[in-house]
Amino acid sequence: MNLTGNTFFVITIVLVVIAVLLPLLLWGRLRGPALVRGAIRLVMVLFAQATAITVVFVAVNNANGLYDSWDDLLGTSGHVDAANDLGPNGMGGKQISALPKVLQKFEKVDDPKLGSGLVRTELKGSISGVQGEVYVWLPPQYHDPAYRNRKFPVVEVMSGFPGSSKNWFRTLKFQDRVQPLIESGRVAPFILVSPRTMLGDKDTGYANIPGKVNADSWLTVDVRKMVADNFRVSLGPENWAIAGYSAGAHGAAKLALAHPDRYSAAVSFSGYNDPAAEHGSLTASDPDLRRENNVLRILKSAKTPPRVSLLVTGEGADGYLPGLSLQRVAKPPTRIDLRATTGGHVTPVWSRQLPYAFQWLTQRMNLQGWGQGQQGLGQGQSQGDAPEDQVLTPSGLLE
């Protein structure tokens, strides 16, 4: 039975009703020794508590997309076939241009909760040794004959931990927030790519850890190459951005700054620099990994400032102050833009940031007026303007 399906949720509600009725009907009617009656009553109380906790968990999980399946919840998913030492560039001595094409079969996603335009495939990463699902959303222009010779820009997106590869479509409601702006020309027609990032029962830290997982190479090599092999997409960094929220925001900032040859822009919603902010992550548990994967250290230690633009949003220590630390040490051509938010570390806050973030990406990646006859962000709207559904106070905080 599907963990996130309506059937299981209804069953949990029915069990709660039964758990409440049983004590009301049987409490005073029990017969037998006092010890037996006490044991039965204790079981009924524990059953009521367990069903109440279960229905709350299922409701929260369905709303936030924490666990996509029973395997994810129980940590029994086998998404890592191998974790070889791939070296500093994550390629294991290979060149991406020399790799054979990875041609995939995609199936249309018909789940109405995920919106329209989605396709899905199962990818086995030849470099990383990781396998998992990848969701791809194609903008309306992709199927327009007028764009048949155009290569499209891409944003690779990541959820928090735990989190589902469906979340940008189910809980953040990307299509509702951004597709109207794409259709009006205010946002470039990005292809959205959402690969599996939950590769076990612990946060990978979006790193390559020999013997455990090669999450970095999965996301920045295998997934990117597969998308370029199957869609009208270039592998050039000027055409790629990466975005995430919470743990995914840490990953987006880290991967973009570490791989300016693969990404030119990134968006971090409520992210952090120090991997230890996610206490259970693999990169937080080892002092060397923690240091190597600290976003601030990556930026500071870069031999040359990475040609990357990074938008960081958040509230206080939850995103904004880590972004401020990055901004203070950044040197051109690195650019760090900050945007303060209110409302906490929750999905609705991140969802409301999407229109601004994708207009920001359109401008930073020089995609204004990407299609002929389209109006870009730079035409009739300044960089500082907020999207229509957001209002900026004088201090820059969202209301």
Side-chain angles (χ1 to χ4, degrees):
M1 187 179 298
N2 195 331
L3 174 64
T4 58
N6 290 331
T7 301
F8 182 62
F9 186 42
V10 170
I11 289 175
T12 61
I13 295 174
V14 171
L15 290 175
V16 168
V17 174
I18 293 173
V20 171
L21 291 177
L22 280 177
L24 293 176
L25 296 174
L26 302 178
W27 196 271
R29 299 182 181 183
L30 295 173
R31 298 292 182 264
L35 184 61
V36 173
R37 296 197 308 272
I40 294 175
R41 287 167 179 164
L42 177 61
V43 169
M44 289 192 293
V45 170
L46 293 177
F47 179 60
Q49 291 179 333
T51 55
I53 292 171
T54 300
V55 75
V56 171
F57 165 77
V58 173
V60 171
N61 187 62
N62 286 351
N64 295 282
L66 302 177
Y67 298 96
D68 212 21
S69 67
W70 290 103
D71 283 338
D72 286 345
L73 175 62
L74 300 175
T76 57
S77 302
H79 295 284
V80 180
D81 292 337
N84 301 322
D85 188 343
L86 299 176
N89 71 346
M91 290 295 299
K94 299 179 180 179
Q95 297 293 325
I96 196 166
S97 59
L99 296 175
K101 276 198 170 186
V102 180
L103 299 179
Q104 294 286 119
K105 291 184 178 180
F106 289 82
E107 60 182 8
K108 184 179 179 181
V109 178
D110 291 323
D111 187 345
K113 293 181 180 179
L114 300 180
S116 60
L118 268 182
V119 294
R120 179 186 184 277
T121 191
E122 285 286 331
L123 174 65
K124 186 172 183 178
S126 62
I127 297 296
S128 67
V130 170
Q131 59 180 346
E133 74 277 8
V134 180
Y135 286 85
V136 177
W137 181 82
L138 300 173
Q141 291 92 330
Y142 191 85
H143 302 290
D144 187 335
Y147 295 82
R148 63 183 178 274
N149 295 320
R150 301 293 299 272
K151 288 188 178 292
F152 283 70
V154 184
V155 182
E156 192 172 0
V157 296
M158 302 185 293
S159 302
F161 184 89
S164 166
S165 47
K166 301 175 183 176
N167 281 4
W168 277 72
F169 312 103
R170 178 172 56 192
T171 56
L172 265 65
K173 300 185 182 303
F174 166 83
Q175 294 99 318
D176 292 344
R177 292 283 186 178
V178 180
Q179 184 168 339
L181 298 176
I182 291 177
E183 292 173 346
S184 69
R186 295 174 65 187
V187 166
F190 292 102
I191 292 175
L192 219 66
V193 176
S194 183
R196 168 173 282 273
T197 57
M198 193 170 173
L199 304 177
D201 59 353
K202 291 187 177 181
D203 178 13
T204 65
Y206 305 89
N208 280 357
I209 307 174
K212 292 186 178 180
V213 65
N214 285 321
D216 183 323
S217 294
W218 160 247
L219 296 166
T220 70
V221 179
D222 287 328
V223 171
R224 290 178 68 252
K225 183 180 187 304
M226 182 277 290
V227 172
D229 286 345
N230 289 271
F231 299 96
R232 297 197 301 277
V233 169
S234 167
L235 277 175
E238 67 278 3
N239 296 307
W240 280 80
I242 187 167
Y245 62 83
S246 192
H250 166 75
K254 183 178 83 73
L255 294 175
L257 293 173
H259 299 295
D261 59 327
R262 300 171 192 176
Y263 305 97
S264 63
V267 176
S268 167
F269 296 137
S270 300
Y272 48 85
N273 294 332
D274 186 348
E278 182 64 51
H279 301 295
S281 75
L282 296 176
T283 51
S285 59
D286 180 273
D288 291 334
L289 288 174
R290 178 181 175 183
R291 183 176 61 257
E292 292 169 6
N293 289 278
N294 186 299
V295 181
L296 184 59
R297 179 193 170 279
I298 290 172
L299 181 57
K300 282 182 174 180
S301 62
K303 293 182 180 179
T304 58
R307 188 174 294 279
V308 172
S309 295
L310 172 62
L311 172 65
V312 179
T313 79
E315 182 177 3
D318 185 32
Y320 189 85
L321 292 179
L324 188 60
S325 298
L326 296 173
Q327 190 180 61
R328 286 171 175 166
V329 303
K331 298 177 181 178
T334 306
R335 174 167 181 156
I336 311 294
D337 289 342
L338 301 178
R339 184 171 174 83
T341 63
T342 59
H345 194 87
V346 292
T347 300
V349 171
W350 303 322
S351 180
R352 289 196 297 270
Q353 299 300 310
L354 292 180
Y356 182 90
F358 276 80
Q359 290 181 87
W360 179 91
L361 285 170
T362 298
Q363 186 176 66
R364 290 289 162 259
M365 296 173 72
N366 297 315
L367 297 171
Q368 303 97 314
W370 184 90
Q372 185 177 359
Q374 292 178 307
Q375 178 182 354
L377 178 61
Q379 299 173 335
Q381 182 182 357
S382 68
Q383 173 191 349
D385 289 342
E388 294 176 356
D389 64 339
Q390 299 178 352
V391 179
L392 290 175
T393 66
S395 63
L397 296 176
L398 282 171
E399 293 184 329

